[in-house]
Amino acid sequence: MSKQHAPGFIALVEQAKAQIKEIGITELLEHNQPYVLLDIREDHEWVAGHLPEAMHLGKGIIERDIEHTVADKKQKIVLYCGGGYRSALSAQTLQQMGYQNVFSLAGGYREWCERKLPVEVPAAK
């Protein structure tokens, strides 16, 4: 892990992870069913690079905007962040909102990059 997280945050994430489903990068790459891939990182993280075919819906607005982005609460959704912590918390929240098929990407963007998998960088405006 590149940064040390506070103990209270880690405890909160561990509680969330006990209640959600995670998917590993290898499993995601081998997956052949349709899913929505949501990058929930901050705007500045998104513009620095993101997974191919991902949509951006930051953690700060996901609860407000998810029903406009993914109306079908049975749709498979894979959330990712930098390391799988914020996405675990957001997966738990979406489940509380009635989404039934939500996954957090274990390892997140950091592990994706460590594996040297392709990323997209938005064109400068």
Side-chain angles (χ1 to χ4, degrees), residues 22-50:
E22 288 187 292
I23 187 169
I25 290 173
T26 300
E27 184 182 354
L28 180 68
L29 292 171
E30 294 171 352
H31 193 72
N32 58 5
Q33 290 180 310
Y35 59 90
V36 173
L37 182 61
L38 290 179
D39 183 326
I40 65 153
R41 298 175 303 149
E42 300 290 329
D43 292 348
H44 71 277
E45 294 173 294
W46 167 262
V47 298
H50 54 84

Short mmCIF file of all heavy atoms in Angstrom, two decimals, residues 22-50:
data_model
loop_
_atom_site.label_atom_id
_atom_site.label_comp_id
_atom_site.label_asym_id
_atom_site.label_seq_id
_atom_site.Cartn_x
_atom_site.Cartn_y
_atom_site.Cartn_z
N GLU A 22 -16.23 -9.20 -3.76
CA GLU A 22 -15.08 -8.64 -4.48
C GLU A 22 -14.81 -9.52 -5.69
O GLU A 22 -15.14 -10.70 -5.71
CB GLU A 22 -13.83 -8.61 -3.59
CG GLU A 22 -13.90 -7.56 -2.51
CD GLU A 22 -12.59 -7.43 -1.75
OE1 GLU A 22 -12.24 -8.38 -1.03
OE2 GLU A 22 -11.93 -6.40 -1.91
N ILE A 23 -14.20 -8.92 -6.68
CA ILE A 23 -13.78 -9.65 -7.87
C ILE A 23 -12.32 -9.30 -8.11
O ILE A 23 -11.93 -8.14 -7.97
CB ILE A 23 -14.67 -9.30 -9.09
CG1 ILE A 23 -14.34 -10.19 -10.29
CG2 ILE A 23 -14.59 -7.83 -9.44
CD1 ILE A 23 -15.35 -10.07 -11.43
N GLY A 24 -11.51 -10.29 -8.42
CA GLY A 24 -10.11 -10.05 -8.72
C GLY A 24 -9.92 -9.63 -10.16
O GLY A 24 -10.80 -9.84 -11.01
N ILE A 25 -8.77 -9.06 -10.46
CA ILE A 25 -8.50 -8.59 -11.81
C ILE A 25 -8.50 -9.74 -12.80
O ILE A 25 -9.08 -9.63 -13.89
CB ILE A 25 -7.17 -7.80 -11.85
CG1 ILE A 25 -7.37 -6.48 -11.10
CG2 ILE A 25 -6.71 -7.56 -13.28
CD1 ILE A 25 -6.10 -5.67 -10.90
N THR A 26 -7.90 -10.86 -12.46
CA THR A 26 -7.87 -12.01 -13.36
C THR A 26 -9.28 -12.47 -13.68
O THR A 26 -9.63 -12.70 -14.84
CB THR A 26 -7.05 -13.16 -12.76
OG1 THR A 26 -5.71 -12.70 -12.54
CG2 THR A 26 -7.03 -14.37 -13.67
N GLU A 27 -10.11 -12.57 -12.65
CA GLU A 27 -11.51 -12.99 -12.85
C GLU A 27 -12.26 -11.97 -13.71
O GLU A 27 -13.03 -12.35 -14.59
CB GLU A 27 -12.20 -13.14 -11.49
CG GLU A 27 -13.61 -13.66 -11.57
CD GLU A 27 -14.28 -13.76 -10.21
OE1 GLU A 27 -13.63 -13.53 -9.18
OE2 GLU A 27 -15.48 -14.08 -10.19
N LEU A 28 -12.01 -10.70 -13.50
CA LEU A 28 -12.66 -9.66 -14.30
C LEU A 28 -12.26 -9.79 -15.77
O LEU A 28 -13.10 -9.71 -16.67
CB LEU A 28 -12.30 -8.28 -13.78
CG LEU A 28 -12.92 -7.10 -14.53
CD1 LEU A 28 -14.43 -7.05 -14.32
CD2 LEU A 28 -12.28 -5.79 -14.10
N LEU A 29 -10.98 -10.00 -16.03
CA LEU A 29 -10.49 -10.10 -17.41
C LEU A 29 -11.04 -11.34 -18.12
O LEU A 29 -11.20 -11.33 -19.34
CB LEU A 29 -8.96 -10.13 -17.42
CG LEU A 29 -8.29 -8.82 -17.01
CD1 LEU A 29 -6.80 -9.03 -16.84
CD2 LEU A 29 -8.60 -7.70 -17.98
N GLU A 30 -11.33 -12.39 -17.37
CA GLU A 30 -11.85 -13.63 -17.96
C GLU A 30 -13.38 -13.63 -18.04
O GLU A 30 -13.97 -14.50 -18.64
CB GLU A 30 -11.39 -14.83 -17.13
CG GLU A 30 -9.89 -15.04 -17.19
CD GLU A 30 -9.39 -16.10 -16.21
OE1 GLU A 30 -10.18 -16.58 -15.36
OE2 GLU A 30 -8.20 -16.45 -16.31
N HIS A 31 -14.00 -12.63 -17.45
CA HIS A 31 -15.46 -12.56 -17.35
C HIS A 31 -16.07 -12.23 -18.71
O HIS A 31 -15.61 -11.32 -19.38
CB HIS A 31 -15.83 -11.49 -16.33
CG HIS A 31 -17.25 -11.53 -15.92
ND1 HIS A 31 -17.76 -12.50 -15.13
CD2 HIS A 31 -18.27 -10.70 -16.20
CE1 HIS A 31 -19.05 -12.27 -14.93
NE2 HIS A 31 -19.38 -11.18 -15.58
N ASN A 32 -17.07 -12.96 -19.10
CA ASN A 32 -17.67 -12.71 -20.42
C ASN A 32 -19.11 -12.24 -20.35
O ASN A 32 -19.75 -12.09 -21.37
CB ASN A 32 -17.55 -13.96 -21.31
CG ASN A 32 -18.21 -15.17 -20.70
OD1 ASN A 32 -18.84 -15.08 -19.65
ND2 ASN A 32 -18.06 -16.31 -21.33
N GLN A 33 -19.64 -12.00 -19.17
CA GLN A 33 -20.99 -11.46 -19.06
C GLN A 33 -20.92 -9.93 -19.04
O GLN A 33 -19.93 -9.37 -18.57
CB GLN A 33 -21.66 -11.94 -17.77
CG GLN A 33 -22.00 -13.42 -17.77
CD GLN A 33 -22.67 -13.80 -16.47
OE1 GLN A 33 -22.18 -13.49 -15.39
NE2 GLN A 33 -23.80 -14.46 -16.57
N PRO A 34 -21.95 -9.27 -19.54
CA PRO A 34 -21.92 -7.81 -19.53
C PRO A 34 -21.94 -7.24 -18.11
O PRO A 34 -22.58 -7.78 -17.23
CB PRO A 34 -23.18 -7.41 -20.29
CG PRO A 34 -23.98 -8.64 -20.49
CD PRO A 34 -23.13 -9.82 -20.13
N TYR A 35 -21.22 -6.18 -17.93
CA TYR A 35 -21.20 -5.49 -16.65
C TYR A 35 -20.89 -4.02 -16.89
O TYR A 35 -20.36 -3.64 -17.93
CB TYR A 35 -20.17 -6.10 -15.68
CG TYR A 35 -18.75 -6.08 -16.19
CD1 TYR A 35 -17.91 -5.01 -15.94
CD2 TYR A 35 -18.25 -7.15 -16.93
CE1 TYR A 35 -16.61 -4.99 -16.42
CE2 TYR A 35 -16.95 -7.14 -17.41
CZ TYR A 35 -16.14 -6.05 -17.14
OH TYR A 35 -14.85 -6.04 -17.62
N VAL A 36 -21.23 -3.20 -15.91
CA VAL A 36 -20.90 -1.78 -15.94
C VAL A 36 -19.67 -1.60 -15.06
O VAL A 36 -19.65 -2.03 -13.91
CB VAL A 36 -22.08 -0.93 -15.41
CG1 VAL A 36 -21.68 0.53 -15.29
CG2 VAL A 36 -23.30 -1.10 -16.30
N LEU A 37 -18.64 -0.98 -15.60
CA LEU A 37 -17.40 -0.72 -14.87
C LEU A 37 -17.39 0.75 -14.47
O LEU A 37 -17.40 1.63 -15.32
CB LEU A 37 -16.20 -1.05 -15.76
CG LEU A 37 -14.82 -0.89 -15.15
CD1 LEU A 37 -14.63 -1.82 -13.95
CD2 LEU A 37 -13.75 -1.18 -16.21
N LEU A 38 -17.38 0.99 -13.16
CA LEU A 38 -17.43 2.36 -12.65
C LEU A 38 -16.16 2.70 -11.88
O LEU A 38 -15.82 2.03 -10.90
CB LEU A 38 -18.63 2.56 -11.71
CG LEU A 38 -20.01 2.57 -12.34
CD1 LEU A 38 -21.07 2.75 -11.26
CD2 LEU A 38 -20.12 3.67 -13.38
N ASP A 39 -15.50 3.74 -12.32
CA ASP A 39 -14.35 4.30 -11.62
C ASP A 39 -14.91 5.31 -10.63
O ASP A 39 -15.53 6.30 -11.02
CB ASP A 39 -13.42 4.98 -12.63
CG ASP A 39 -12.16 5.54 -12.02
OD1 ASP A 39 -12.19 6.01 -10.86
OD2 ASP A 39 -11.13 5.53 -12.71
N ILE A 40 -14.69 5.08 -9.34
CA ILE A 40 -15.27 5.97 -8.33
C ILE A 40 -14.22 6.90 -7.72
O ILE A 40 -14.49 7.56 -6.72
CB ILE A 40 -16.01 5.19 -7.24
CG1 ILE A 40 -15.05 4.32 -6.45
CG2 ILE A 40 -17.13 4.36 -7.83
CD1 ILE A 40 -15.53 4.05 -5.04
N ARG A 41 -13.05 6.97 -8.34
CA ARG A 41 -11.99 7.82 -7.81
C ARG A 41 -12.31 9.29 -8.03
O ARG A 41 -13.26 9.66 -8.72
CB ARG A 41 -10.66 7.46 -8.48
CG ARG A 41 -10.23 6.02 -8.21
CD ARG A 41 -8.98 5.63 -8.98
NE ARG A 41 -9.18 5.83 -10.41
CZ ARG A 41 -8.23 6.15 -11.28
NH1 ARG A 41 -6.98 6.31 -10.87
NH2 ARG A 41 -8.49 6.31 -12.55
N GLU A 42 -11.48 10.14 -7.47
CA GLU A 42 -11.63 11.59 -7.62
C GLU A 42 -11.38 12.00 -9.08
O GLU A 42 -10.71 11.28 -9.82
CB GLU A 42 -10.64 12.31 -6.71
CG GLU A 42 -10.80 12.00 -5.23
CD GLU A 42 -12.07 12.59 -4.64
OE1 GLU A 42 -12.51 13.66 -5.12
OE2 GLU A 42 -12.62 11.98 -3.72
N ASP A 43 -11.89 13.16 -9.45
CA ASP A 43 -11.73 13.65 -10.82
C ASP A 43 -10.27 13.69 -11.26
O ASP A 43 -9.95 13.28 -12.39
CB ASP A 43 -12.33 15.06 -10.95
CG ASP A 43 -13.84 15.09 -10.80
OD1 ASP A 43 -14.48 14.01 -10.82
OD2 ASP A 43 -14.39 16.20 -10.67
N HIS A 44 -9.37 14.17 -10.40
CA HIS A 44 -7.96 14.27 -10.79
C HIS A 44 -7.33 12.89 -10.99
O HIS A 44 -6.42 12.75 -11.80
CB HIS A 44 -7.16 15.10 -9.77
CG HIS A 44 -6.95 14.43 -8.45
ND1 HIS A 44 -7.90 14.45 -7.45
CD2 HIS A 44 -5.91 13.70 -7.99
CE1 HIS A 44 -7.43 13.76 -6.41
NE2 HIS A 44 -6.24 13.29 -6.71
N GLU A 45 -7.82 11.88 -10.31
CA GLU A 45 -7.33 10.52 -10.52
C GLU A 45 -7.81 9.99 -11.87
O GLU A 45 -7.06 9.34 -12.61
CB GLU A 45 -7.80 9.60 -9.39
CG GLU A 45 -7.20 9.93 -8.03
CD GLU A 45 -7.83 9.11 -6.93
OE1 GLU A 45 -9.04 9.29 -6.64
OE2 GLU A 45 -7.10 8.28 -6.34
N TRP A 46 -9.07 10.24 -12.19
CA TRP A 46 -9.66 9.80 -13.45
C TRP A 46 -8.90 10.36 -14.66
O TRP A 46 -8.56 9.63 -15.58
CB TRP A 46 -11.13 10.21 -13.49
CG TRP A 46 -11.79 10.11 -14.82
CD1 TRP A 46 -11.99 11.12 -15.72
CD2 TRP A 46 -12.33 8.94 -15.44
NE1 TRP A 46 -12.64 10.65 -16.84
CE2 TRP A 46 -12.86 9.31 -16.70
CE3 TRP A 46 -12.44 7.61 -15.06
CZ2 TRP A 46 -13.47 8.43 -17.57
CZ3 TRP A 46 -13.06 6.70 -15.92
CH2 TRP A 46 -13.56 7.11 -17.15
N VAL A 47 -8.62 11.67 -14.63
CA VAL A 47 -7.96 12.28 -15.78
C VAL A 47 -6.50 11.85 -15.93
O VAL A 47 -5.94 11.94 -17.01
CB VAL A 47 -8.06 13.83 -15.78
CG1 VAL A 47 -9.51 14.28 -15.85
CG2 VAL A 47 -7.35 14.44 -14.61
N ALA A 48 -5.91 11.33 -14.86
CA ALA A 48 -4.54 10.83 -14.95
C ALA A 48 -4.48 9.45 -15.62
O ALA A 48 -3.43 9.03 -16.07
CB ALA A 48 -3.92 10.75 -13.56
N GLY A 49 -5.63 8.77 -15.70
CA GLY A 49 -5.70 7.47 -16.35
C GLY A 49 -6.75 6.60 -15.69
O GLY A 49 -6.99 6.73 -14.49
N HIS A 50 -7.38 5.75 -16.50
CA HIS A 50 -8.43 4.87 -15.98
C HIS A 50 -8.50 3.61 -16.81
O HIS A 50 -7.89 3.51 -17.89
CB HIS A 50 -9.78 5.59 -15.97
CG HIS A 50 -10.16 6.18 -17.29
ND1 HIS A 50 -10.77 5.44 -18.27
CD2 HIS A 50 -10.01 7.42 -17.79
CE1 HIS A 50 -10.98 6.20 -19.32
NE2 HIS A 50 -10.52 7.41 -19.07
#
